[in-house]
Amino acid sequence: ILLAPPSAAQTDPLPSWNDGANKQAIIAFVEAVTEEGGPDYVAPGDRIATFDNDGTLWPEHPIYTQLAFAIDRLKAMAPEHPEWQNTEPFKFAIENDMEALAKGGEKGFMEIIAATHAGMSTADFEKIVTDWYKTARHPRFDRAYTDLAYQPMLDLMDYLRANEFKTFIVSGGGIEFMRPMTEAVYGIPTEQVVGSSIKTKFEMVDGKPMLMRLPEVAFVDNEGGKPVGINAHIGKLPIAAFGNTDGDIQMLEWTAAGDGKRLMMLVFHDDADREYAYGPANGEPETHFGAFTQALMDQATRSGWNVISMKNDWATIFPPMK
Amino acid sequence: ILLAPPSAAQTDPLPSWNDGANKQAIIAFVEAVTEEGGPDYVAPGDRIATFDNDGTLWPEHPIYTQLAFAIDRLKAMAPEHPEWQNTEPFKFAIENDMEALAKGGEKGFMEIIAATHAGMSTADFEKIVTDWYKTARHPRFDRAYTDLAYQPMLDLMDYLRANEFKTFIVSGGGIEFMRPMTEAVYGIPTEQVVGSSIKTKFEMVDGKPMLMRLPEVAFVDNEGGKPVGINAHIGKLPIAAFGNTDGDIQMLEWTAAGDGKRLMMLVFHDDADREYAYGPANGEPETHFGAFTQALMDQATRSGWNVISMKNDWATIFPPMK
Ligand SMILES: [Ca+2]
Ligand SMILES: [Ca+2]
């Protein structure tokens, strides 16, 4: 089914974006690479677009969604682990002391992930995650996390797919944490999700084959890991890439390295009223979750990467309430 | 574009297959899972079919195609490595002593793979492989390896895709060795190829981002590794799986484990006249490349997996000469 959109003059392909340089850059890019016979034409099979997830497609404040899930899991499992009451970082999580938890950095998060994400089959983990998505609510917006995808990015992905792009998620988040929701929330099937992972092992349990999740990191899909993950899962260079932090630099550099027209964009959170504002770039507050450094802002300017101002470029942030 | 095929009564969807139980099983399966409202209906997004490569989609005799490539590479590199003349397994490869090489087993192959497949960028390796496919010829059939895909399996993949299946390769072979040819030969894009891999590392070389191939195994996509690879790359259970050796058992078990209708098939090489005959199942000769054991034959019988007789089920083996 060929979903060629009506021309922009008739219908706005990005209705949740305000007019401006960034919206124009997207439309000009898509029109250039889809113009048959044009100098920038790209065949449909090579129209690969990659999207970071946390902070690019949905919020990552006050904490990463996956960390919220892990803390809920930890609390549910705590009665069977009395030792956690006196062990860092578990005690911080159980006591809701996010400041202390955040100070422990990635190492603390990884310990919590290992305690909550391993030791079950992939099928059981999928059920745990699916059930959590059904009940968990974002603490500020009081909506399901899965209702908080950024509407402008949903419009953008629809627009790209209508122009025969294949859209992939390439996230530092856990691949098995994302997959239960990506099809319903973003229209991205499981086979187009790239993420961090722990090792799994094939085992026969009571005559039934299972993949057991082991407490051992297999792959970290962040920074230089993003090009590695793109190569491993996709096997071609993206022609468009979207991120929001220093962890996306290598993905954007890798995308930019190809011949022909390219689009690299970064979401900048400068909208405390409607979502969050954090940097530290451009004098926005420091953050433990999803830092956009001034060095990244400078690199974006030097490299011709588009920086999306959430405040100015996005007419709406979240989908309408159902 | 919806490519719904005319009904089988009008046009044979598998013209290179002889009539018989296996051809009937394929057609009955496809008709069942695509019948809207039927008891076995599967939504298009879940119509995942996985194919082993060597011995399932193209020949693996007299030696694996990738080993033929590695030996050619080794010979090309030998002038810079005089020490290989006196070192196993390299001397066997340079002297074309396939018997001695085969006796060294997987360990010897891995040493040759490491010496020939690492130490360059992914882009350079892709060019080396692409150039080799253009010039290398199969020693018996005197045709490019890329002209020797099994016509019945090409028909089968076309038939599945016409019925909105997504076809994936899941091979013990190297993912980067297959990708340069899978689209042209099988109609399978790079993002639907799962295989064994070595580690890669993102590096800036003279200001240009590269993925460098390291002499370290990242993943072995064989036996229990096949379900792990399927889960990592696809994230859903296949509903159909095709293999030809003991290395495919876990993939077929994993496929069979899902609810609903499933199709598991194994290619058995019993056609010395038109291709090769090897087992040791059913009294065919032993082999170092692609063994189909009697235990596998017995498991297939017990489990209701279809065993394809190359001799009886396939009307033709290779595509017509161009
Ligand atoms: Ca992010
Ligand atoms: Ca095989």
Side-chain angles (χ1 to χ4, degrees):
Chain A
I1 306 167
L2 199 69
L3 293 162
S7 81
Q10 296 173 275
T11 310
D12 184 346
L14 298 171
S16 55
W17 291 69
N18 291 324
D19 288 330
N22 284 318
K23 181 171 180 169
Q24 283 168 20
I26 294 168
I27 293 171
F29 171 76
V30 170
E31 291 183 347
V33 299
T34 57
E35 187 199 343
E36 283 195 51
D40 299 315
Y41 180 75
V42 175
D46 293 327
R47 293 180 200 160
I48 304 290
T50 56
F51 294 84
D52 168 62
N53 186 38
D54 296 306
T56 298
L57 296 180
W58 73 1
E60 60 193 349
H61 274 210
I63 60 173
Y64 296 126
T65 305
Q66 191 171 0
L67 184 57
F69 162 77
I71 290 169
D72 283 353
R73 278 301 295 163
L74 210 66
K75 288 176 182 167
M77 293 165 71
E80 291 161 49
H81 294 272
E83 74 280 9
W84 286 350
Q85 305 291 340
N86 303 306
T87 317
E88 298 179 13
F90 306 107
K91 58 181 283 195
F92 298 141
I94 294 164
E95 292 163 359
N96 275 325
D97 187 347
M98 291 302 120
E99 190 61 27
L101 195 59
K103 273 184 191 149
E106 294 295 323
K107 185 172 165 292
F109 298 159
M110 288 307 296
E111 285 180 64
I112 290 173
I113 296 287
T116 53
H117 286 57
M120 71 291 279
S121 71
T122 52
D124 285 346
F125 186 70
E126 182 181 346
K127 185 173 176 346
I128 291 167
V129 173
T130 302
D131 288 347
W132 185 81
Y133 280 129
K134 284 182 195 152
T135 55
R137 290 290 174 275
H138 187 281
R140 172 170 164 195
F141 301 110
D142 194 27
R143 298 177 67 177
Y145 290 93
T146 49
D147 288 339
L148 293 174
Y150 301 136
Q151 185 64 46
M153 298 305 278
L154 297 178
D155 286 359
L156 171 57
M157 290 191 284
D158 282 344
Y159 176 48
L160 292 174
R161 289 190 292 254
N163 283 281
E164 295 180 87
F165 279 69
K166 244 185 185 178
T167 51
F168 287 81
I169 289 174
V170 178
S171 166
I175 188 167
E176 303 291 19
F177 178 71
M178 295 184 283
R179 278 176 165 165
M181 64 82 193
T182 56
E183 176 82 55
V185 175
Y186 303 131
I188 293 183
T190 55
E191 63 269 28
Q192 288 164 222
V193 179
V194 183
S196 297
S197 58
I198 59 177
K199 292 199 175 170
T200 63
K201 187 172 189 309
F202 181 84
E203 281 179 15
M204 279 288 176
V205 181
D206 299 330
K208 207 174 145 55
M210 294 197 175
L211 288 175
M212 296 304 298
R213 294 172 56 83
L214 311 180
E216 188 182 347
V217 173
F219 180 61
V220 178
D221 191 46
N222 200 33
E223 301 181 343
K226 290 206 176 193
V228 170
I230 288 168
N231 184 59
H233 285 256
I234 309 176
K236 340 179 151 90
L237 280 180
I239 64 170
F242 304 85
N244 81 307
T245 69
D246 291 36
D248 297 308
I249 291 172
Q250 291 84 352
M251 175 167 75
L252 270 61
E253 289 175 335
W254 184 238
T255 301
D259 295 328
K261 213 169 179 64
R262 292 291 192 272
L263 182 67
M264 283 68 62
M265 302 190 94
L266 293 164
V267 175
F268 185 57
H269 294 255
D270 57 358
D271 193 338
D273 288 343
R274 295 188 300 172
E275 203 245 12
Y276 296 96
Y278 49 96
N282 293 5
E284 297 292 352
E286 294 269 0
T287 178
H288 290 295
F289 304 100
F292 191 129
T293 62
Q294 190 60 45
L296 174 58
M297 190 63 82
D298 295 343
Q299 180 170 2
T301 304
R302 270 198 321 274
S303 308
W305 299 348
N306 292 70
V307 176
I308 297 161
S309 160
M310 194 172 255
K311 183 172 181 170
N312 299 319
D313 284 313
W314 288 1
T316 57
I317 307 288
F318 300 120
M321 301 287 281
K322 281 166 201 160
Chain B
I1 305 168
L2 199 69
L3 293 162
S7 82
Q10 296 174 274
T11 309
D12 185 347
L14 297 171
S16 55
W17 290 69
N18 292 323
D19 288 331
N22 283 318
K23 181 171 179 169
Q24 283 169 19
I26 294 168
I27 294 171
F29 170 76
V30 171
E31 291 183 347
V33 300
T34 57
E35 188 198 344
E36 284 194 51
D40 299 315
Y41 180 75
V42 175
D46 293 327
R47 293 179 201 161
I48 304 289
T50 57
F51 294 83
D52 169 61
N53 185 39
D54 297 306
T56 298
L57 296 180
W58 74 1
E60 60 194 347
H61 275 209
I63 59 174
Y64 297 125
T65 305
Q66 190 171 0
L67 186 56
F69 162 77
I71 290 170
D72 283 352
R73 278 300 295 160
L74 210 65
K75 289 176 182 167
M77 294 166 71
E80 291 161 49
H81 295 272
E83 74 281 8
W84 286 351
Q85 304 292 340
N86 303 305
T87 317
E88 298 178 15
F90 305 108
K91 58 180 284 195
F92 298 141
I94 293 164
E95 293 163 359
N96 276 325
D97 187 347
M98 290 303 120
E99 192 60 26
L101 196 60
K103 273 184 191 148
E106 294 295 324
K107 185 172 165 294
F109 299 158
M110 288 308 295
E111 285 179 63
I112 290 173
I113 297 288
T116 53
H117 286 57
M120 72 290 281
S121 71
T122 52
D124 286 346
F125 185 70
E126 182 182 347
K127 185 174 177 345
I128 291 166
V129 173
T130 302
D131 289 347
W132 184 81
Y133 279 129
K134 284 182 195 153
T135 58
R137 290 289 173 277
H138 187 281
R140 172 171 165 194
F141 300 112
D142 194 27
R143 298 177 66 177
Y145 290 94
T146 48
D147 288 340
L148 293 174
Y150 301 136
Q151 185 64 46
M153 298 306 278
L154 296 178
D155 286 359
L156 171 57
M157 289 191 285
D158 282 346
Y159 176 48
L160 292 174
R161 289 189 294 253
N163 282 281
E164 295 180 85
F165 278 69
K166 245 186 186 176
T167 51
F168 287 82
I169 289 174
V170 179
S171 166
I175 189 167
E176 304 291 19
F177 178 71
M178 295 184 282
R179 279 176 166 164
M181 63 83 194
T182 57
E183 176 82 57
V185 175
Y186 303 131
I188 293 183
T190 55
E191 63 269 27
Q192 287 164 223
V193 180
V194 183
S196 297
S197 58
I198 58 177
K199 292 199 175 170
T200 62
K201 187 174 189 308
F202 181 83
E203 281 180 16
M204 278 287 178
V205 180
D206 298 332
K208 205 174 147 53
M210 293 196 176
L211 287 176
M212 294 305 297
R213 292 172 58 83
L214 311 181
E216 190 182 346
V217 172
F219 179 61
V220 178
D221 190 47
N222 200 33
E223 301 181 344
K226 290 207 176 194
V228 171
I230 288 168
N231 185 60
H233 285 256
I234 309 176
K236 340 180 150 92
L237 280 181
I239 65 169
F242 305 85
N244 80 307
T245 69
D246 291 37
D248 298 308
I249 291 173
Q250 291 83 354
M251 175 167 74
L252 270 60
E253 289 175 336
W254 185 237
T255 302
D259 295 327
K261 213 170 180 63
R262 291 292 192 272
L263 182 66
M264 283 68 63
M265 301 190 96
L266 293 164
V267 176
F268 185 57
H269 295 256
D270 56 359
D271 194 338
D273 288 342
R274 295 188 301 172
E275 203 244 13
Y276 295 96
Y278 48 95
N282 293 5
E284 298 290 353
E286 294 269 359
T287 180
H288 290 295
F289 303 100
F292 192 129
T293 63
Q294 191 59 45
L296 174 57
M297 190 64 81
D298 295 344
Q299 181 170 1
T301 304
R302 268 198 323 274
S303 309
W305 300 346
N306 292 70
V307 176
I308 297 161
S309 160
M310 195 172 255
K311 183 172 181 171
N312 299 320
D313 284 314
W314 288 0
T316 58
I317 306 289
F318 300 119
M321 302 286 283
K322 281 168 200 159

